[in-house]
Amino acid sequence: MTNQETKQKTRSGFVAIVGRPNVGKSTLMNYMVGQKVAITADKPQTTRNRIHGVVTHDNSQIIFMDTPGIHKPKHRLGEHMVKVAVQTLREVEAVLFLVDATMPKGAGDEYIIEILKDVKKDTPIYLVINKIDLIEDKQKLLEIIASYKDAFPFTEIIPISAVKGDNVVRMRDMILKLLPEGPFYYPPDQLTDHPERFIVAELIREKVLHLTREEVPHSVAVEVEQMQMKEDRNMLYIHAAIYTERDSQKAIIIGKQGSVLKKVGQMARLDIEKLLGSKVYLELWVKVKADWRNREHMLRNFGFTEE
């Protein structure tokens, strides 16, 4: 077989993962990719940028696009997040609309369904009901399926558990069959389109989300100011700043005698070392930038908006 014939049989395409905040979009993409490329947390609006996770098989490549949760925005950052999610739907071969099996269909889900009605008519749209491992009474699952079935003509309804992987491989195989012929967009060993600095910053932010109280997470951004490999010590030195909007939030992130910030650094360093395959020295600062979520130049600096 010639190289040209091989290329003709290669299939590739983009698949958007959309849904309300905190339904498990990032968890699903990480499971698909087989490695953490998007952060997860038990708080809504964890994902702020569109993140690509690349899944490559022998002759096919799926690029999953984990989008920010679609919600009613309260500031410029929120507007950006919703805009990113909606724009993604115009660029894909298929859409996975993720919903939470433990939650009834609400106004947020109905809002997304209205958006899906404007997606190109020939784009397959799958309803993916996540967190089925948390449902003991399967009758409730049937009721959830029924509540969505009449709301939109989904290509198929797929119950899954993104945490445990239940039914995820079946869903992936369904997607592979609908991919058009085309070249690989990324090298076979590449798992995401984002640079290392972005992933490192996100891993640090994830730990802040896990360790701080409700008033802090959404006002936090992380900027990696320096990444330098010191060959003589065989160690990667990373300096990063954690930004928040108020002095009171800064105090929470630092914690008593620096206890919270120290824990953030310890947890993030382990994940970064696993990601990069190198010993890491991680130094963190906490800085205050008042109302940064409504400042366009700050959003650009943090990579949330385009020039």
Side-chain angles (χ1 to χ4, degrees):
M1 182 178 291
T2 66
N3 289 337
Q4 184 63 32
E5 289 173 329
T6 301
K7 289 181 180 179
Q8 289 176 348
K9 292 190 175 182
T10 298
R11 296 181 177 274
S12 59
F14 293 80
V15 176
I17 307 175
V18 299
R20 284 193 298 176
N22 207 31
V23 295
K25 299 183 296 296
S26 296
T27 302
L28 174 59
M29 191 176 74
N30 289 339
Y31 187 93
M32 289 281 200
V33 173
Q35 183 172 320
K36 180 182 288 186
V37 295
I39 69 172
T40 60
D42 59 355
K43 301 177 177 68
Q45 302 172 27
T46 300
T47 300
R48 289 174 173 170
N49 285 282
R50 185 173 61 191
I51 298 173
H52 291 181
V54 184
V55 179
T56 304
H57 296 271
D58 292 340
N59 62 347
S60 62
Q61 186 175 82
I62 310 172
I63 300 94
F64 289 99
M65 303 166 75
D66 178 21
T67 62
I70 298 176
H71 61 286
K72 186 176 181 179
K74 298 179 180 179
H75 40 64
R76 287 184 180 272
L77 174 59
E79 292 172 0
H80 161 72
M81 291 162 63
V82 173
K83 181 180 179 182
V84 166
V86 173
Q87 285 179 338
T88 298
L89 301 179
R90 305 171 186 163
E91 308 167 4
V92 298
E93 276 67 49
V95 176
L96 305 181
F97 173 32
L98 213 63
V99 301
D100 186 337
T102 67
M103 301 290 290
K105 179 162 65 73
D109 298 302
E110 292 170 356
Y111 173 62
I112 295 172
I113 288 172
E114 289 303 311
I115 293 174
L116 293 176
K117 291 179 181 178
D118 291 330
V119 175
K120 289 186 298 184
K121 297 300 182 184
D122 59 345
T123 302
I125 299 177
Y126 297 90
L127 175 67
V128 182
I129 302 176
N130 191 25
K131 305 185 184 181
I132 61 171
D133 54 304
L134 302 179
I135 301 294
E136 294 183 3
D137 184 357
K138 297 308 176 185
Q139 181 60 34
K140 290 184 178 180
L141 180 59
L142 295 176
E143 292 172 1
I144 292 171
I145 291 173
S147 70
Y148 281 96
K149 198 170 184 180
D150 295 333
F152 187 87
F154 293 104
T155 304
E156 189 154 343
I157 298 175
I158 313 170
I160 70 161
S161 168
V163 169
K164 295 189 174 181
D166 297 347
N167 229 16
V168 174
V169 172
R170 172 177 170 266
M171 181 177 66
R172 181 204 65 194
D173 290 344
M174 291 172 56
I175 295 169
L176 287 173
K177 292 178 181 179
L178 62 83
L179 293 180
E181 289 189 7
F184 284 0
Y185 292 91
Y186 298 97
D189 59 350
Q190 186 169 336
L191 300 180
T192 181
D193 65 324
H194 278 289
E196 290 178 349
R197 278 178 179 252
F198 174 88
I199 301 298
V200 167
E202 286 288 270
L203 289 175
I204 296 168
R205 187 167 68 91
E206 178 185 54
K207 307 316 173 191
V208 176
L209 295 180
H210 280 302
L211 294 173
T212 56
R213 299 200 296 269
E214 288 298 325
E215 65 267 31
V216 172
H218 304 319
S219 63
V220 169
V222 177
E223 182 179 23
V224 175
E225 298 178 336
Q226 184 180 6
M227 282 182 64
Q228 182 180 7
M229 175 62 75
K230 296 193 176 182
E231 301 293 348
D232 58 330
R233 300 183 183 180
N234 193 30
M235 184 172 288
L236 180 64
Y237 280 69
I238 300 174
H239 300 261
I242 300 171
Y243 287 91
T244 191
E245 293 182 321
R246 297 194 298 273
D247 288 326
S248 60
Q249 295 167 339
K250 176 179 177 179
I252 293 171
I253 295 172
I254 294 175
K256 186 176 181 179
Q257 297 180 334
S259 59
V260 176
L261 186 62
K262 181 179 179 181
K263 188 67 174 177
V264 168
Q266 290 172 339
M267 294 172 64
R269 179 176 56 80
L270 292 175
D271 272 1
I272 295 168
E273 288 181 343
K274 183 177 179 182
L275 173 73
L276 302 181
S278 173
K279 286 292 183 181
V280 169
Y281 176 83
L282 177 61
E283 190 169 358
L284 301 174
W285 290 271
V286 183
K287 302 180 180 181
V288 176
K289 288 288 184 182
D291 199 33
W292 68 261
R293 287 178 294 175
N294 281 313
R295 297 186 179 188
E296 286 292 340
H297 73 283
M298 293 297 296
L299 294 177
R300 285 196 295 270
N301 289 344
F302 294 142
F304 296 135
T305 61
E306 298 178 356
E307 296 286 349

